[in-house]
């Protein structure tokens, strides 16, 4: 019989997450499910359990996507927007993993390719976003944006964010981008502090190719941050191409709270009286 196995990744600086990991491990091992740490590369894991905030989820997404297994998040962070449940849901987390009784949703990811003027290129991917930012913060980046081979606009800006629906509540939101419900497939492009008239964010088809050109008069070049974790750099004349990835991130759900509920709670939105019923 094949041993069942899950990977547990805990916030590195939260002792309560490590304690929770120990409790989960004890219960799951009793139920016949082995638990391995984030450095394991060989065990046939069926799920990644992340115990932390959004940064921990972004780190865990690298592991889960590479193995094509679902990622379940328990919040031990400040915000934990990407996590599914709070730490008090210990029993339902253990039960759901032991009985494989969680739902799984598919979240779009982006493939990001940076091609430099000398023809060299680097590839990465993003769960939240690719943030294309001027390397020299005192000067704006000079960027051109094109969609499916046609120019849309040039920008003088701190940068441009290319976000997934998952990332629409993160950096893109701070740059004025719209919130996109996670079951919508779309790509958001939001300029950061753009100087000019056409500075609104765009929502683009997931089948489009979005290109950002680092214009030759750009003094310094850009850095491209994928999920704030992985960095590519390119000089003037570079192109950053973003497309929907064939490999999504799969999120496991124990909670039945819909996205709207999570948004209201995490962003503390004022809903009291929203439809004039006394109980709302
Ligand atoms: N000005 C900004 O808003 C800004 C600047 C840089 C990076 N970021 C975001 O930080 C992310 C990296 O997060 P981290 O946790 O490693 O660093 P971090 O702990 O510094 O997080 C930054 C904030 O973004 C929140 N966040 C991350 N992903 C989110 C999502 N999908 N929805 C809602 N909120 C989200 C986090 O909870 C945290 O409050 C990047 O992917 C980027 O989206 C935001
Ligand atoms: N297990 C881990 N592996 C890699 N990086 C981690 C891990 N745990 C924490 N970190 C790093 O620590 C930082 C803070 O972690 P995290 O975002 O999970 O907590 P937080 O900031 O309290 O939560 P939130 O982002 O929800 O506000 C992240 O940027 C992440 O890079």
């Amino acid at each position: 019989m094949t041993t069942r196995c899950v990977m547990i990744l805990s916030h590195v600086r939260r002792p309560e997450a490590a304690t929770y990991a120990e409790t989960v491990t004890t219960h799951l091992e009793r139920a016949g499910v082995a638990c391995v740490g984030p450095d394991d590369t060989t065990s046939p894991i069926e799920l990644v359990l992340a115990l932390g905030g959004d940064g921990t989820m972004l780190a865990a997404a690298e592991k889960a996507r590479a193995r094509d297994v679902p990622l379940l998040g328990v919040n031990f962070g400040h915000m934990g927007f990407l996590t599914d449940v709070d730490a008090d849901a210990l029993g339902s987390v253990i039960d759901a993993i032991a009985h494989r009784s969680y739902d799984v949703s598919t979240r779009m990811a982006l493939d990001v390719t940076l091609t430099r003027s000398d023809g060299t290129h680097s590839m990465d991917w993003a769960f939240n976003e690719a943030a294309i930012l001027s390397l020299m913060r005192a000067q704006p980046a000079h960027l051109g944006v094109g969609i499916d081979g046609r120019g849309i606009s040039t920008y003088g800006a701190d940068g441009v964010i290319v976000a997934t629906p998952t990332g629409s509540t993160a950096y893109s939101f701070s740059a004025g981008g719209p919130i996109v419900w996670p079951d919508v497939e779309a790509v958001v492009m939001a300029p950061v502090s753009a100087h000019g008239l056409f500075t609104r964010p765009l929502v683009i088809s997931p089948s489009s190719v979005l290109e950002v050109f680092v214009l030759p008069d750009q003094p310094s070049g850009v850095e491209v941050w994928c999920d704030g974790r992985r960095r590519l750099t390119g000089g003037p004349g570079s192109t950053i191409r973003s497309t929907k990835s064939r490999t999504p991130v799969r999120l496991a759900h124990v909670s039945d709270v819909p996205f709207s509920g999570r948004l209201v709670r995490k962003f503390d939105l004022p809903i009291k009286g929203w439809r004039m019923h006394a109980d709302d």
Side-chain angles (χ1 to χ4, degrees):
M1 198 180 80
T2 319
T3 313
R4 292 183 57 198
C5 185
V6 301
M7 176 181 285
I8 303 184
L9 201 135
S10 311
H11 193 295
V12 282
R13 292 178 302 279
R14 302 264 152 82
E16 62 279 21
T19 307
Y20 190 100
E22 282 169 23
T23 310
V24 170
T25 301
T26 305
H27 283 84
L28 286 181
E29 290 189 341
R30 265 187 223 142
V33 184
C35 298
V36 296
D39 297 331
D40 180 281
T41 51
T42 52
S43 302
I45 59 167
E46 62 186 43
L47 177 102
V48 175
L49 177 65
L51 310 175
D54 292 313
T56 309
M57 284 295 281
L58 293 168
E62 294 172 359
K63 310 279 182 190
R65 180 176 179 264
R67 309 265 197 114
D68 191 23
V69 296
L71 165 61
L72 176 62
V74 181
N75 189 18
F76 283 93
H78 292 108
M79 161 94 101
F81 197 94
L82 298 172
T83 60
D84 191 59
V85 286
D86 288 335
D88 57 8
L90 176 66
S92 48
V93 167
I94 293 167
D95 273 5
I97 297 175
H99 300 111
R100 288 200 184 103
S101 59
Y102 44 80
D103 293 326
V104 177
S105 69
T106 297
R107 294 289 183 97
M108 200 187 114
L110 292 172
D111 284 333
V112 180
T113 306
L114 182 146
T115 306
R116 300 177 190 83
S117 58
D118 62 4
T120 58
H121 63 271
S122 306
M123 293 165 80
D124 218 305
W125 74 285
F127 184 27
N128 265 350
E129 78 284 291
I132 302 157
L133 302 168
S134 171
L135 267 173
M136 198 153 41
R137 292 298 149 76
Q139 268 101 38
H142 298 175
L143 303 172
V145 169
I147 294 165
D148 297 328
R150 289 185 180 265
I152 295 293
S153 185
T154 58
Y155 296 90
D158 285 2
V160 154
I161 311 290
V162 184
T164 62
T166 298
S168 71
T169 47
Y171 200 169
S172 170
F173 177 72
S174 306
I179 292 177
V180 183
W181 259 238
D183 53 347
V184 176
E185 292 229 318
V187 177
V188 175
M189 193 288 295
V192 184
S193 304
H195 186 72
L197 289 177
F198 184 70
T199 61
R200 299 291 169 90
L202 308 177
V203 181
I204 297 153
S205 161
S207 59
S208 282
V209 177
L210 193 150
E211 286 173 302
V212 178
F213 300 95
V214 185
L215 299 178
D217 65 343
Q218 156 72 15
S220 56
V222 295
E223 55 186 352
V224 182
W225 279 100
C226 294
D227 299 338
R229 296 182 52 81
R230 301 172 297 276
R231 179 177 180 261
L232 312 174
T233 54
S238 298
T239 303
I240 301 96
R241 193 172 187 267
S242 303
T243 54
K244 176 186 165 182
S245 176
R246 284 175 189 232
T247 314
V249 174
R250 297 200 289 135
L251 290 184
H253 306 283
V254 175
S255 150
D256 55 8
V257 177
F259 179 76
S260 43
R262 182 180 312 270
L263 182 67
V264 166
R265 189 157 82 90
K266 299 286 183 185
F267 281 22
D268 198 17
L269 301 183
I271 53 161
K272 194 166 167 28
W274 71 278
R275 60 177 170 189
M276 296 176 289
H277 291 177
D279 56 345
D280 284 328

